[in-house]
Amino acid sequence: MTAMTTGNTSRADANRRRILDVALAELLRDPDASMDQIARAAGVVRRTVYGHFPNREALISTLVDGAVEALADADADARAGVSDPAEAVARSVLALWPVADRYRLLIALAQRTVTVQGIRERLAPLRENKVRLLQRGLDEGAFTSPLPAPALAYVHEQMLFAVTEAVNDGLLAAEEAGRSATVAVLTAAGVPAARATALVAEVSRHTEKPGG
């Protein structure tokens, strides 16, 4: 009985993971994709999708949770062992951008269902880390701003959302957006533009994979 239960659980988990993977691809291809379309693409019956997610909003909400988790992991990995606050911010944004770029259409879609406030609440742990980093930079003189660290973190967050929207609307090339967003975030924290541009170029050279 235990082995059978374990097998059923593993199969259910595999189905759920497949539904999420397929749903992300389908929604990025067609933001209006229905639960029926997602079920067909995943090779399961409609009832199986609804067994895991009671409605489309719940499915999108779960995908957003996955996106936020991926962003948090990228941020933590990028900042590990970096002592200079400006470099830490540069590494963080450059690492976050490919993840954010992958999910940018999903985030735009989620704003219709999860709401901006819901997304903001999910980003709270990531924002708290950014506040601590910005505060250290302000204390050490690496950053200068009339805004306190918590407010500056909100400004950075909204700038990144705005850049993703600019890419979605065709106002900025996706391949340029990561570096541009990073320079913009650093200058918003009071780093001189020339220093920000040079720092982003330097960090990019050390973090980009050959041929990537």
Side-chain angles (χ1 to χ4, degrees), residues 65-166:
D65 287 341
V68 170
E69 183 178 349
L71 288 168
D73 289 345
D75 172 63
D77 289 345
R79 292 184 295 101
V82 180
S83 58
D84 176 60
E87 182 182 345
V89 167
R91 287 182 178 275
S92 173
V93 178
L94 285 169
L96 288 174
W97 186 259
V99 181
D101 187 54
R102 180 182 183 220
Y103 289 106
R104 60 187 163 84
L105 293 175
L106 172 66
I107 297 300
L109 172 63
Q111 289 175 358
R112 303 185 211 166
T113 55
V114 179
T115 74
V116 173
Q117 183 59 32
I119 295 171
R120 181 174 290 168
E121 289 170 359
R122 286 167 166 81
L123 290 171
L126 191 61
R127 190 182 310 115
E128 288 167 8
N129 290 331
K130 176 60 70 64
V131 170
R132 286 192 288 270
L133 176 56
L134 290 172
Q135 187 61 61
R136 182 159 62 85
L138 290 168
D139 292 342
E140 295 176 5
F143 303 138
T144 57
S145 174
L147 299 174
L152 187 56
Y154 264 66
V155 169
H156 282 185
E157 189 175 293
Q158 292 307 308
M159 286 178 72
L160 292 177
F161 276 126
V163 173
T164 64
E165 289 177 7

Side-chain angles (χ1 to χ4, degrees), residues 53-67:
F53 307 101
N55 51 49
R56 189 170 180 272
E57 288 71 25
L59 174 59
I60 292 173
S61 180
T62 302
L63 288 171
V64 171
D65 287 341

